[in-house]
Amino acid sequence: MAKKEKLQKTNAMRELERAGVHFEVRTYEDDGEEARGVGVAIAGKLGQDPGQGFKTLVTLAPGGDHVVCCVPVADELDFKAAAAAAGEKSLSMMPTKDLVAVTGYMRGGCSPVGMKKRFPTLIDETCELYDTIFISGGRRGVQLELAPADLVAFTGATVAAITR
């Protein structure tokens, strides 16, 4: 019988454990794909409702402040609505080349939990439709399933309508 490979913990897992937040780890085979719609494909691989899977987008305000936005994988961020919810004049996507330096996470593995620094966080209101949601576990191929209320409380997030 083959020995089961031990999953190395990520910053996201360590921080949630330290805070006593219950979560489940879900893994999938990462094929390195970065195209649009990959989140929906991953949800399909794991037998999840795509509305339950949330991607993490890091945005920039005009003054250079970062705002983390979590939206369902099949949806797009409404920049105007997100800016209003964050109390900013406008928001734009942070350049991908800056992602690792700012968050500590690579594209496709960015989690709202365990970044190098805590940033203001917005989570789309559709999270409240589910008992649990899925977020990146901090590495490609790893997702964390947790209660949306626990994620909101842990990150200090604002829940708002931020998709279009």
Side-chain angles (χ1 to χ4, degrees):
M1 182 193 254
K3 194 175 184 181
K4 188 175 179 179
E5 189 177 315
K6 186 175 178 183
L7 180 65
Q8 185 178 356
K9 287 185 182 176
T10 64
N11 286 343
M13 291 178 212
R14 283 189 283 278
E15 283 196 15
L16 290 172
E17 282 178 353
R18 204 172 307 134
V21 175
H22 175 76
F23 65 93
E24 297 289 329
V25 177
R26 305 283 184 245
T27 60
Y28 60 93
E29 190 66 37
D30 174 37
D31 59 10
E33 182 63 42
E34 290 187 6
R36 284 188 178 274
V38 72
V40 174
I42 291 168
K45 284 182 188 179
L46 295 173
Q48 302 166 354
D49 175 344
Q52 233 175 324
F54 282 70
K55 58 188 172 188
T56 303
L57 305 172
V58 184
T59 63
L60 273 174
D65 293 331
H66 295 88
V67 177
V68 174
C69 300
C70 298
V71 299
V73 296
D75 293 343
E76 289 189 32
L77 179 64
D78 181 330
F79 287 96
K80 281 187 173 186
E88 297 288 350
K89 183 178 176 181
S90 64
L91 291 175
S92 61
M93 286 302 297
M94 180 181 76
T96 305
K97 66 179 178 59
D98 298 336
L99 191 63
V100 173
V102 171
T103 68
Y105 291 128
M106 64 184 280
R107 183 173 185 207
C110 190
S111 178
V113 176
M115 290 186 182
K116 288 182 174 183
K117 179 181 170 189
R118 282 210 177 190
F119 298 108
T121 302
L122 305 173
I123 303 175
D124 188 67
E125 67 184 359
T126 58
C127 71
E128 295 176 329
L129 299 174
Y130 302 96
D131 293 333
T132 61
I133 59 172
F134 299 89
I135 60 170
S136 173
R139 181 181 317 123
R140 288 178 175 197
V142 179
Q143 286 192 334
L144 304 180
E145 179 181 6
L146 71 166
D150 289 343
L151 180 62
V152 169
F154 181 82
T155 59
T158 298
V159 176
I162 59 169
T163 59
R164 53 184 161 135

